[in-house]
Structures are given as structure tokens and as C-alpha cells.
């Protein structure tokens, strides 16, 4: 049984997709051990509690220095003996020590078809704003392993989503979540849990 921890910063819609996939049997051989947020008011923590998953906040605001926060985050993660860490809208740059320690055990969902619209500064609505500004016709989402770079780790899955006439960044963001993110993130977890992806 794969022990999974999900790291989040906001509402947790991707977390909900994972919870639903476990409940429906689309993800097998995996257990959600903990949801960790860097924000005390993240609705994702409520989603976790509502589904009897341990919910923990490790906020940088509670620590004097970034190093102290990084150590607390690592200690928290280490305490759950996780086999897989899922970044589901976690807007924190992971310390290099963590990515090295959990090499090939951390995955991220990114709201574009990497290598387009990725790297420093490209997250959330900013990705969709830039895609629309540049007039792209097809966008999508990518699940990838996390390494020490930003959105540079090996790609696991990508799914394309059409850009439609009249799209706003918000409309496009919702479509990318519904048609890509909520499909390929649970699939990646299931395939890792069942040894399809090594």
C-alpha cells in the first residue's frame, strides 16, 4: 500500500479529485496519509478533515527564517514515512535537500503542456493569462516528477485541452482542471501505486 502525502496551498480541487478517485476505485493500492498546507486558511485542510485524512499546517509565518520553515516542513513530511509526495497546487519552492531525499518520490501537477508556460513565475492563473495573451489554440496539463529545477523533472503524463473563443483565464483554468488535471493526476498516482510507473 503506497503511503501518499498531498501538499497544497489553496482550495484543494486537485486534492478532491484524488480523494474521489480513491473512493471510486480509480486509485488502488494507495492510502492518503496526510494533507500538508503552508496556509492555515487553505480550504484543502477542511477537505482532508471531512474525509478523515490528517490535516497539518506548516506555515512559513510561524518561523523566524526560511531555513527553520524548511526544516519543519521536512521533519513533518519525514514523520509520515511517505512513499509518494503529491504537489497539488503547493506554492512553495521545495528545499533542494527535500527533492534530493525524495528523488522520484515527488510528483507535481502543472497547468500547461510543459515545456510551454512553465518555470519561475508560471503558476495558477498566470499560466492561462499568458497562454491567452500569446494566442495559443491548445493548452493542457502535465504531471511530472519533481527535481531541483522548476517544472524541469521527467514528464509522466500530459493531456491537451482546446482553447475556445471567448475564454478568460478563469474559464480556461476551470476547463484545464476538469478535462486534464483531475484525470491525469489520479492516473499517475494509481500507476505509481501499482508499479506501472517506476
Amino acid at each position: 500500500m503506497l503511503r501518499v502525502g498531498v501538499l497544497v496551498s489553496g482550495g484543494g480541487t486537485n486534492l478532491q479529485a484524488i480523494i474521489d478517485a480513491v473512493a471510486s476505485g480509480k486509485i488502488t493500492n494507495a492510502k492518503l496519509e496526510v494533507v500538508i498546507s503552508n496556509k492555515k486558511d487553505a480550504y484543502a485542510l477542511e477537505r482532508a478533515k471531512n474525509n478523515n485524512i490528517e490535516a497539518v499546517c506548516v506555515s512559513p509565518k510561524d518561523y523566524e527564517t526560511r531555513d527553520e520553515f524548511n526544516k519543519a516542513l521536512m521533519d513533518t513530511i519525514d514523520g509520515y514515512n511517505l512513499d509518494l509526495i503529491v504537489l497539488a497546487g503547493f506554492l512553495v519552492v521545495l528545499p533542494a535537500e527535500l527533492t534530493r531525499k525524495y528523488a522520484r518520490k515527488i510528483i507535481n501537477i502543472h497547468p500547461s503542456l510543459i515545456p510551454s508556460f512553465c518555470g519561475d513565475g508560471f503558476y495558477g492563473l498566470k499560466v492561462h493569462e499568458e497562454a491567452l495573451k500569446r494566442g495559443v489554440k491548445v493548452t493542457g496539463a502535465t504531471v511530472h516528477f519533481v527535481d531541483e529545477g522548476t517544472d524541469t523533472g521527467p514528464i509522466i503524463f500530459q493531456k491537451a485541452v482546446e482553447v475556445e473563443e471567448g475564454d478568460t483565464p478563469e474559464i480556461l483554468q476551470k476547463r484545464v482542471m476538469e478535462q486534464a488535471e483531475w484525470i491525469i493526476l489520479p492516473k499517475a498516482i494509481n500507476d505509481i501505486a501499482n508499479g506501472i510507473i517506476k
Side-chain angles (χ1 to χ4, degrees):
M1 186 74 73
L2 195 79
R3 296 172 60 87
V4 180
V6 183
L7 275 54
V8 292
S9 291
T13 53
N14 276 307
L15 168 65
Q16 191 64 55
I18 296 166
I19 291 168
D20 293 346
V22 170
S24 70
K26 284 183 182 162
I27 295 175
T28 59
N29 200 31
K31 182 172 188 290
L32 295 175
E33 294 290 335
V34 65
V35 171
I36 301 170
S37 177
N38 61 313
K39 295 186 176 175
K40 291 180 172 69
D41 61 350
Y43 185 66
L45 294 173
E46 290 304 312
R47 290 183 196 270
K49 290 174 192 165
N50 293 341
N51 289 277
N52 299 312
I53 302 163
E54 198 157 338
V56 179
C57 177
V58 182
S59 171
K61 293 177 180 173
D62 294 338
Y63 300 91
E64 299 260 328
T65 67
R66 195 66 189 195
D67 285 346
E68 286 177 26
F69 164 72
N70 286 343
K71 183 179 183 324
L73 181 63
M74 283 212 33
D75 289 349
T76 302
I77 290 168
D78 289 347
Y80 288 93
N81 193 26
L82 300 174
D83 302 307
L84 182 67
I85 299 164
V86 179
L87 307 184
F90 190 57
L91 303 180
V92 171
V93 175
L94 296 181
E97 188 184 348
L98 182 68
T99 55
R100 282 194 297 268
K101 182 171 187 176
Y102 289 93
R104 296 293 183 134
K105 290 186 175 185
I106 308 174
I107 63 172
N108 180 50
I109 183 81
H110 184 76
S112 78
L113 297 173
I114 292 173
S116 296
F117 310 113
C118 65
D120 293 340
F122 282 105
Y123 58 88
L125 271 179
K126 291 178 184 179
V127 173
H128 305 297
E129 285 167 3
E130 193 62 30
L132 290 173
K133 192 164 80 180
R134 294 198 200 171
V136 302
K137 302 298 179 203
V138 177
T139 185
T142 304
V143 178
H144 64 94
F145 284 108
V146 174
D147 60 14
E148 290 180 45
T150 306
D151 303 326
T152 55
I155 291 170
I156 301 169
F157 292 123
Q158 292 187 305
K159 191 166 189 316
V161 174
E162 301 254 338
V163 178
E164 295 177 9
E165 194 69 39
D167 273 350
T168 63
E170 292 78 11
I171 290 169
L172 186 56
Q173 180 181 48
K174 188 168 191 287
R175 188 180 316 112
V176 168
M177 285 193 292
E178 290 172 351
Q179 294 182 11
E181 294 180 33
W182 299 348
I183 296 166
I184 62 174
L185 185 57
K187 179 170 171 39
I189 295 166
N190 181 69
D191 286 5
I192 291 167
N194 288 287
I196 298 161
I197 296 170
K198 297 276 188 260

